[in-house]
Amino acid sequence: MADKTGWKDLMRGGDLPPATSREYKTGSWRSLRPVLDLSNCIHCMICVAYCPDMCIPVVRSEEGVVGRNGRIYKGLVRLETDFDYCKGCGICAEECPTDCIKMVREEVVETSSK
Amino acid sequence: MSVYKPLTGAQATAEAMRQINPDVVAAYPITPQTPIVEFFAEFVANGLVDTEMIPVESEHSALSCVVGAAAAGARAMCATSSQGLALMWEIVAATPGLRLPIVMPVVNRALSTPINIHCDHSDTMGTLTIGWVQIYSENAQEAYENVFLALKIAEHPDVLLPVMVMQDGFITGHGVENVKVLDDAVVKEFVGQRNPDRYLLDLEHPYTIGPLALPDFYYEVKRQQEEAIERAKEVYLRAGEELAKITGNTYPYFEEYKSDDAEAVIVILNSAAGTAKDAIDELRAEGRKVGLIKPKLFRPFPYKEYREVLKDKKVIGVLDRSISFGSYAPVYAEIRNALFELDHRPAMQSYIYGLGGRDIFKSEIKNVFEELLSGNVDSEKQKYIGLRG
Ligand code: SF4
Ligand code: SF4
């Protein structure tokens, strides 16, 4: 909807084609970043269920990934947060039972990664 | 074949809903609308309709349910009164913007405070600016037929807006009248099936309904909505012509009663128009040139057509059953507006009557005509009928 359509050509009632939220990168709102320590993750999916922006990707992994206490977690595992959409609300960090997500100010993350 | 049945206005409305057999009805009982929901619930319980009736905990939820069902593709209806309408206001305001064709009978009742359960029009007059089509009904017969008319207008592809159908609380809603009820099969054919061009349960063609629209788009969406309600004017007449074929009645923007050659005309909504007709008959018998205009379609408001019939009148009195606090009364304001373009305007007088269910009598309406004909009118001063001084 980047073009500025006139009122006669808009969909009725301001309706839109489906899934326009994909084009809207809520990641630009973020001031705190959830920094994930995967080595402490138990892939319980609690963060996935709570994330209001559905921006924690989940895949099925047959070979498994290394998580808490060096254990191999097989089946559904979470991946790194999708920062295009993560708005930095911190709900995942609050809910994670193993405290493996820390909210860090974006400018701190940026400086330390330079 | 049509049959005559002794029905209250509320019962007649429920009967119309039974014949429409909507997919979904959600409503919350509120005096004096309650019997509509009660009678309809009985039809559901007795298996006379296929409707999914959703019991809800408030009017806010009732209209929310109906909005959801209509968006999903269902033909969905609601009904309310006064405080119920007030409680659902957030959704009442949202519905026209969503362009959902919902029909909602409203049984007019005074708004609190003071708390009161009787008739006046302060409830629906408070919703004039938000985009519902509004049709007012004088009696149970009109309340019954207007539900079918409303459905045709609401679902017309040029309109797609919600419609309220009004009747007076208790006076019409609870009063038994001889109502001519159409044959079920005839109504079934008239209302047909709702045939939405898009609906949320069509999983093959997903779309987004009700998204955020900020300063760059909100304005355009509202302009579209205004266009739709303007089109409802023409659609009202066409739908009325169609309905006339099965009822034998007519559906003009307003009823003209002995107003053709009248010098003094009053404009009055709903049940009090019936009382006014009696008063007019008696005055006519004495040779007085008096008449009535009874508005039916109130939103969109047909300004031009009112101007056309009122332009040569000597004097017009407008009787409002609600106050628009701090401004001219709602019906008066519209009639006054309609006459602006004239070079020579009729004299005008605004009257308030009947608030909170206060009766209005034939003698009072006759007094109004006497006053109008005497020339003792002031277009800027509101007068009060039946008020203790
Ligand atoms: S809540 Fe914590 S432990 Fe569970 S999957 Fe998310 S990050 Fe891993
Ligand atoms: S910070 Fe909020 S938006 Fe970002 S991944 Fe965590 S829960 Fe989701």
Side-chain angles (χ1 to χ4, degrees):
Chain A
M1 296 303 285
D3 64 320
K4 298 284 189 242
T5 314
W7 67 269
K8 289 177 188 158
D9 300 316
L10 281 181
M11 270 175 86
R12 185 180 64 240
D15 289 354
L16 292 173
T20 48
S21 54
R22 286 206 185 116
E23 289 162 39
Y24 193 65
K25 304 274 166 76
T26 43
S28 66
W29 302 359
R30 194 176 57 246
S31 59
L32 295 172
R33 175 186 293 235
V35 175
L36 173 66
D37 174 10
L38 266 178
S39 70
N40 208 16
C41 175
I42 56 173
H43 297 279
C44 63
M45 303 292 142
I46 287 178
C47 55
V48 174
Y50 273 92
C51 173
D53 280 87
M54 295 190 286
C55 60
I56 300 174
V58 175
V59 293
R60 183 171 291 280
S61 169
E62 297 311 332
E63 66 275 21
V65 294
V66 183
R68 189 177 168 90
N69 297 330
R71 213 192 111 181
I72 306 287
Y73 288 82
K74 290 188 176 177
L76 290 182
V77 295
R78 69 154 290 180
L79 304 178
E80 180 56 282
T81 308
D82 183 343
F83 289 109
D84 274 354
Y85 301 104
C86 166
K87 63 187 175 193
C89 67
I91 291 174
C92 53
E94 178 69 25
E95 297 299 333
C96 173
T98 65
D99 282 338
C100 64
I101 302 170
K102 295 272 170 295
M103 300 306 290
V104 183
R105 293 201 68 83
E106 278 294 330
E107 59 270 24
V108 175
V109 182
E110 278 162 26
T111 339
S112 59
S113 62
K114 264 177 198 159
Chain B
M1 225 183 64
S2 305
V3 286
Y4 282 93
K5 291 187 190 175
L7 299 176
T8 63
Q11 233 173 341
T13 303
E15 189 74 354
M17 289 168 72
R18 178 188 66 73
Q19 294 182 307
I20 289 170
N21 193 8
D23 302 305
V24 174
V25 167
Y28 192 83
I30 178 151
T31 304
Q33 160 266 31
T34 306
I36 297 181
V37 191
E38 269 176 359
F39 286 118
F40 192 78
E42 205 174 301
F43 296 144
V44 175
N46 292 341
L48 297 179
V49 287
D50 311 306
T51 307
E52 183 80 35
M53 183 146 184
I54 307 173
V56 283
E57 76 283 13
S58 76
E59 284 84 358
H60 190 278
S61 304
L63 191 57
S64 296
C65 268
V66 168
V67 161
R75 184 176 268 168
M77 296 180 74
C78 194
T80 196
S81 277
S82 187
Q83 300 311 115
L85 183 65
L87 181 53
M88 65 167 69
W89 214 93
E90 184 188 12
I91 316 302
V92 176
T95 310
L98 292 169
R99 305 295 302 282
L100 295 172
I102 291 164
V103 173
M104 181 164 76
V106 180
V107 187
N108 286 110
R109 159 184 157 183
L111 264 184
S112 284
T113 58
I115 194 163
N116 178 297
I117 56 169
H118 293 280
C119 176
D120 72 32
H121 303 152
S122 50
D123 51 1
T124 52
M125 287 300 163
T127 66
L128 284 181
T129 59
I130 56 175
W132 284 62
V133 173
Q134 287 200 351
I135 307 173
Y136 285 81
S137 328
E138 179 185 332
N139 49 38
Q141 188 69 48
E142 287 190 8
Y144 168 73
E145 290 171 15
N146 283 341
V147 176
F148 305 131
L149 188 62
L151 192 77
K152 278 281 159 162
I153 299 164
E155 292 181 3
H156 194 288
D158 289 348
V159 179
L160 292 170
L161 284 172
V163 185
M164 288 183 199
V165 178
M166 271 54 85
Q167 62 180 287
D168 279 351
F170 292 105
I171 304 162
T172 306
H174 283 59
V176 176
E177 291 173 45
N178 200 13
V179 179
K180 188 174 160 196
V181 177
L182 296 164
D183 189 73
D184 284 0
V186 170
V187 174
K188 194 174 173 194
E189 205 198 314
F190 179 79
V191 299
Q193 289 272 324
R194 186 182 161 204
N195 189 18
D197 60 345
R198 58 173 179 266
Y199 55 100
L200 288 177
L201 285 183
D202 180 2
L203 302 181
E204 300 298 312
H205 304 97
Y207 69 102
T208 304
I209 184 169
L212 179 77
L214 292 175
D216 54 351
F217 277 104
Y218 180 91
Y219 195 1
E220 279 73 20
V221 175
K222 289 291 149 186
R223 177 66 186 86
Q224 272 188 344
Q225 192 187 318
E226 169 65 6
E227 191 74 5
I229 200 162
E230 275 304 315
R231 285 195 295 256
K233 260 184 76 178
E234 184 59 26
V235 171
Y236 171 90
L237 291 181
R238 298 291 86 81
E241 283 164 11
E242 246 187 279
L243 184 58
K245 286 181 197 150
I246 60 168
T247 62
N249 292 322
T250 56
Y251 305 90
Y253 292 137
F254 41 80
E255 181 186 340
E256 299 170 60
Y257 188 79
K258 305 193 175 174
S259 56
D260 234 13
D261 64 337
E263 285 170 12
V265 161
I266 65 167
V267 181
I268 193 163
L269 286 175
N270 277 13
S271 65
T275 314
K277 287 174 188 172
D278 260 18
I280 289 166
D281 288 348
E282 291 181 17
L283 289 171
R284 281 274 172 182
E286 296 165 17
R288 318 299 297 272
K289 289 193 163 174
V290 295
L292 163 81
I293 298 286
K294 179 189 78 184
K296 292 157 84 77
L297 180 70
F298 202 73
R299 280 292 179 277
F301 196 83
Y303 292 97
K304 205 186 257 173
E305 289 77 5
Y306 277 97
R307 183 159 63 248
E308 210 37 54
V309 299
L310 292 172
K311 63 177 194 289
D312 298 323
K313 300 298 165 212
K314 206 170 114 199
V315 57
I316 302 163
V318 182
L319 279 66
D320 273 271
R321 201 161 199 158
S322 67
I323 294 180
S324 183
F325 293 94
S327 66
Y328 292 129
V331 186
Y332 180 67
E334 297 304 4
I335 301 297
R336 197 179 150 96
N337 253 337
L339 305 181
F340 175 79
E341 281 77 8
L342 297 177
D343 291 333
H344 303 286
R345 285 181 280 273
M348 289 194 80
Q349 178 63 54
S350 170
Y351 295 93
I352 302 295
Y353 77 96
L355 298 196
R358 170 97 24 116
D359 281 327
I360 180 160
F361 297 100
K362 217 160 41 176
S363 54
E364 289 168 325
I365 293 177
K366 284 177 161 180
N367 288 343
V368 164
F369 279 118
E370 295 301 344
E371 188 164 68
L372 294 175
L373 289 166
S374 76
N376 177 24
V377 296
D378 181 344
S379 61
E380 291 185 278
K381 193 170 157 269
Q382 191 163 279
K383 293 184 180 176
Y384 302 86
I385 301 170
L387 176 76
R388 286 189 301 279

